[in-house]
Every structure is written in structure tokens, then in C-alpha cells.
Amino acid sequence: MVQDKNWTVRKLYGGAMEVNLPEEFEDMSDVRLVPDYQEVFADADTDRSVIIECMQTGLCGPERAAAWHFENLVSEMEAQNSEIQDASGINQQEAMNLDMGKVSATKAIGTIVAPKFRDESVKANTVEMSIACLRLSSVTTDLLITVNNPLFIHSESSAARDGASVQNEPNQPSERRRLFEGILSSFKILDW
């Protein structure tokens, strides 16, 4: 596994699934209302987040599922700009705890420029969004694992600290990749 920090097992959906996450990621259901179909974790110091959600199967073939959901999220967020840098399949080595006979797995990694929550569009942030889509055809569900890593936070964004623009320097490409890969490699479905 590619986990080199203090990672901890997090039970999801009442124990039906589990994933390892860095300790600094707080369960957002402890601080705000989270819909039943989502599990949301965030690191307040870096504004990184991990969202795991059960969605209706996307209107596309399984080989394009993650890219389809990426594009759909970009549209819902009314992003000013977006680009997918990598859209590909996920192999057994990347998701070692999944039964690939039951799951079709793809990923889409890209950047978006969008305001956070209800911020005005001029206060947009640049975020790397990495999505793994696990298509569970037997239950017509796309299970999304979305990792959001801010690359630039506008000084007037609700995510800004002390009114300063932030270029997220500790959030280097290798660290972002390690986070996404660590989550994906540790993810388990315990109750089918």
C-alpha cells in the first residue's frame, strides 16, 4: 500500500464498506448534515476532501463512467474551466481489495476552476479532482470515490485563511497521487 502517514480505517455505510484515510481527515457528518448516499471527509488545514457516494449508474458505458461523472460534476458546479488529464481503467493492482469480477472500475483525474459553495464566480479556486468510479452493475450503482485537492485558493474564497491567496505548496503532485492511490488500494466492499 502507498500509505506513509498515519492512516486509519474508516467504516462506511454502517460497516458495509471501509477505507483507510489519513488521520487529519475529519468525518463531516460529525459537524454538518451529510446525505445518506454520501460519506464525506475533509482536512480543514488544506481544504482537501474525500467524498464517497452511491450514485445511479451513469448514462454511458462502463469504460467511460469516471469521465462521465467528472463531466457531470463540472456541469453541476458550473465550473469556469475544466480539463481531464487522465481517463483510464483501474486494474487489480490499483484496487487490490476489489473483486474485479463484480466491479468495472475507471478513473478520471483533472483540474477544475470553480467557486466554493456559494462564493461568487470571481472567487474561483483551482482544484485537482480525482474520481474513481466503481460500477456495480448487479445493483445498478456507480460508487464514486472523489478526492479534491486545492491547487490554488482565491484570497476572497470562503476556503481562504486570513484573506490570503494560497498556492497549496505542500500539496505536491506525488502527495496528491499517493493520497488517491492509498484510498483506492485500501477500499473494501464488505457486504455485497
Side-chain angles (χ1 to χ4, degrees):
M1 244 182 256
V2 281
Q3 301 168 1
D4 58 357
K5 289 185 172 185
N6 294 323
W7 290 57
T8 184
V9 176
R10 307 295 179 96
K11 300 291 184 187
L12 308 170
Y13 302 106
M17 302 171 199
E18 67 181 30
V19 67
N20 292 355
L21 293 173
E23 289 178 345
E24 60 267 22
F25 280 81
E26 183 180 358
D27 186 340
M28 290 290 94
S29 67
D30 292 340
V31 294
R32 68 173 172 86
L33 188 61
V34 173
D36 289 345
Y37 63 91
Q38 286 185 338
E39 298 278 353
V40 180
F41 302 89
D43 176 0
D45 292 335
T46 62
D47 204 45
R48 295 180 302 168
S49 64
V50 175
I51 303 166
I52 300 165
E53 56 192 326
C54 296
M55 305 291 289
Q56 183 175 353
T57 302
L59 302 174
C60 64
E63 67 285 342
R64 209 179 119 47
W68 185 88
H69 283 288
F70 185 103
E71 292 161 358
N72 193 49
L73 285 168
V74 164
S75 176
E76 286 177 10
M77 286 188 247
E78 300 178 1
Q80 298 168 8
N81 193 4
S82 68
E83 179 184 3
I84 296 176
Q85 284 96 22
D86 177 20
S88 57
I90 294 172
N91 63 44
Q92 187 68 64
Q93 185 178 357
E94 292 173 292
M96 63 183 78
N97 292 307
L98 294 176
D99 180 347
M100 292 308 214
K102 296 180 179 180
V103 175
S104 171
T106 56
K107 63 185 171 189
I109 301 170
T111 54
I112 61 169
V113 177
K116 186 161 183 163
F117 302 123
R118 301 186 197 286
D119 284 350
E120 300 167 26
S121 61
V122 295
K123 300 175 184 175
N125 303 318
T126 304
V127 177
E128 179 183 82
M129 185 166 64
S130 303
I131 296 177
C133 178
L134 311 178
R135 178 155 289 176
L136 311 173
S137 297
S138 63
V139 289
T140 60
T141 299
D142 280 351
L143 183 69
L144 300 184
I145 302 169
T146 304
V147 179
N148 295 302
N149 283 293
L151 304 176
F152 173 78
I153 298 174
H154 190 281
S155 63
E156 295 180 38
S157 167
S158 59
R161 302 219 181 263
D162 303 321
S165 294
V166 176
Q167 193 82 27
N168 233 343
E169 305 238 351
N171 195 1
Q172 296 300 315
S174 61
E175 176 64 21
R176 296 190 309 266
R177 187 173 45 256
R178 195 171 16 258
L179 176 63
F180 185 62
E181 290 173 354
I183 290 168
L184 190 56
S185 69
S186 70
F187 189 83
K188 294 179 187 174
I189 300 175
L190 303 170
D191 184 4
W192 286 89

